[in-house]
Amino acid sequence: MKIGPHQLANQLFVAPMAGVTDRPFRQLCKKLGAGYAVSEMIASNALLWNSEKTQRRANHQGEFKPIAVQIAGADPAMMAAAAKLNVDHGAQIIDINMGCPAKKVCNVAAGSALLRDEPLVQQIIEAVVKAVGVGPDAVPVTLKIRTGWDREHKNALAVAKLAEQSGISMLTIHGRTRADLYHGAAEYETIQAVKNSARIPVVANGDITTPEKAAQVLKLTGADAIMIGRAAQGRPWIFREIAHYLATGETLPTPEIAEIQDIMNEHLLDHYAFYGEYIGLRTARKHIGWYCKGLRNSHHFRQKMNTADDCKTQLQMVNDFFDEMKSHSDRLLFLEAA
């Protein structure tokens, strides 16, 4: 499929997740079969643009194209300025966040809180599209939403219509309301209804955890693509598993422990280089925990691993743990709840 002029490798997308989908993780997912990845959310507040966190999130050096940046905020003028700034720094696609349910985002009337104010939704979209999405150098603007604010106020159809009319190039829908957060099961009927009425590409998101579920959601919703978030944490190879299943109807075997170890080593070394010693050591812990989830003695190992006080020691402890796993089995075995 295409987003504006950009031809994507496939219909498998990495969801933007704060503190997770940094450049090293996006690159890894793309290497393992994802066709598209969106950056972590960048605030539209100009006061934060020069912060270390924002500068790091806006770092796309050497990244596979197209480079997509997600922006968040509630002020149309600030959102337009943020879009222009990110395009000036290399963004080739701008994604507007109206799907994040986090309190610190919704409390400032951004993210999925915007779904309560459809006129403001339209103003923000039109401002961003006018800033970067028109003219000879137009950059596609995409939008991510939820099905509504709560189950009594599902307005994805209305928002999708005004988004399309305002120049949005692609719409991603998480199959929950803001009030649902991540509880309960995602519902796909609303996504299907939007797809049936929309003339722009529609992407389905929410609870896609296996190749079989991916195929089911694509068939049920008729969506042009699927977006995967939490299921890729510690399992970035899920994209190649899904791609293989969609192409052949066959399930790939579980990765061998040695391959998981190689993937994790590549990820951690890139992670350390990107963040540096102090931040890299601490932010790597969650990724290591996800990679080890369900393995024999993983709970004890994670407690021990958290005592490492430098990246070299942390990496050695991880490899010692995986070497021990290989002595028990040549395949990744989920032996316990982590």
Side-chain angles (χ1 to χ4, degrees):
M1 65 174 287
K2 295 181 71 175
I3 303 177
H6 305 291
Q7 181 66 50
L8 306 183
N10 59 37
Q11 59 189 152
L12 308 180
F13 297 178
V14 186
M17 295 175 282
V20 180
T21 48
D22 51 23
R23 192 185 72 191
F25 187 75
R26 295 194 302 271
Q27 290 286 76
L28 180 61
C29 289
K30 289 177 180 178
K31 287 181 182 179
L32 291 173
Y36 179 64
V38 183
S39 76
E40 299 174 85
M41 179 175 63
I42 294 177
S44 62
N45 187 342
L47 296 176
L48 302 176
W49 288 351
N50 292 321
S51 70
E52 182 179 1
K53 179 182 288 187
T54 298
Q55 290 293 309
R56 190 182 296 115
R57 287 184 173 184
N59 183 336
H60 309 288
Q61 186 175 356
E63 186 165 356
F64 297 132
K65 297 180 179 180
I67 295 168
V69 174
Q70 185 180 82
I71 59 174
D75 181 272
M78 291 175 66
M79 289 286 279
K84 287 192 68 173
L85 178 77
N86 280 284
V87 169
D88 290 343
H89 283 80
Q92 296 171 301
I93 298 170
I94 294 294
D95 184 61
I96 300 174
N97 182 321
M98 295 188 186
C100 179
K103 285 185 178 180
K104 67 178 181 180
V105 175
C106 290
N107 284 346
V108 292
S112 54
L114 290 166
L115 297 177
R116 293 182 295 184
D117 191 340
E118 291 177 20
L120 180 56
V121 167
Q122 185 168 358
Q123 291 170 29
I124 289 172
I125 294 172
E126 289 179 347
V128 173
V129 170
K130 183 179 179 180
V132 302
V134 295
D137 299 319
V139 169
V141 179
T142 63
L143 174 68
K144 186 176 184 189
I145 65 172
R146 287 188 166 226
T147 56
W149 175 253
D150 58 32
R151 296 184 185 186
E152 288 69 46
H153 300 91
K154 290 185 180 181
N155 61 342
L157 271 168
V159 171
K161 183 177 181 180
L162 67 85
E164 187 174 291
Q165 293 171 343
S166 302
I168 287 296
S169 296
M170 183 185 75
L171 178 67
T172 300
I173 308 174
H174 184 108
R176 290 182 174 88
T177 68
R178 189 273 161 183
D180 291 328
L181 299 177
Y182 295 98
H183 304 308
E187 60 95 1
Y188 306 109
E189 289 77 11
T190 302
I191 301 174
Q192 179 188 45
V194 171
K195 174 57 187 173
N196 288 342
S197 66
R199 292 174 295 176
I200 57 175
V202 173
V203 183
N205 175 226
D207 290 357
I208 301 171
T209 57
T210 65
E212 294 81 3
K213 186 65 174 289
Q216 176 189 346
V217 171
L218 281 169
K219 182 178 180 180
L220 175 63
T221 63
D224 300 277
I226 52 176
M227 181 173 278
I228 298 159
R230 290 172 293 163
Q233 295 173 353
R235 190 185 164 196
W237 52 88
I238 190 175
F239 297 99
R240 75 177 182 198
E241 292 177 338
I242 293 174
H244 183 82
Y245 184 83
L246 293 178
T248 67
E250 299 174 353
T251 303
L252 285 175
T254 304
E256 294 183 357
I257 289 181
E259 183 186 10
I260 304 304
Q261 186 175 7
D262 289 341
I263 291 171
M264 188 168 55
N265 270 286
E266 177 185 353
H267 186 184
L268 291 177
L269 289 172
D270 195 14
H271 188 92
Y272 297 148
F274 185 70
Y275 285 100
E277 180 76 25
Y278 182 83
I279 297 177
L281 173 72
R282 287 154 180 79
T283 54
R285 290 169 180 163
K286 59 179 175 287
H287 290 285
I288 295 169
W290 291 327
Y291 279 116
C292 297
K293 186 177 180 180
L295 288 175
R296 179 187 288 111
N297 297 325
S298 63
H299 179 70
H300 173 73
F301 164 71
R302 289 200 306 271
Q303 290 181 319
K304 180 181 177 183
M305 177 268 299
N306 287 340
T307 66
D309 55 10
D310 61 75
C311 294
K312 182 178 179 181
T313 301
Q314 186 183 67
L315 185 63
Q316 185 61 57
M317 293 172 73
V318 170
N319 280 292
D320 288 346
F321 175 74
F322 270 79
D323 288 342
E324 175 67 17
M325 291 301 101
K326 287 188 292 188
S327 70
H328 293 291
S329 172
D330 62 354
R331 290 203 171 273
L332 188 65
L333 298 176
F334 293 93
L335 300 176
E336 61 178 29

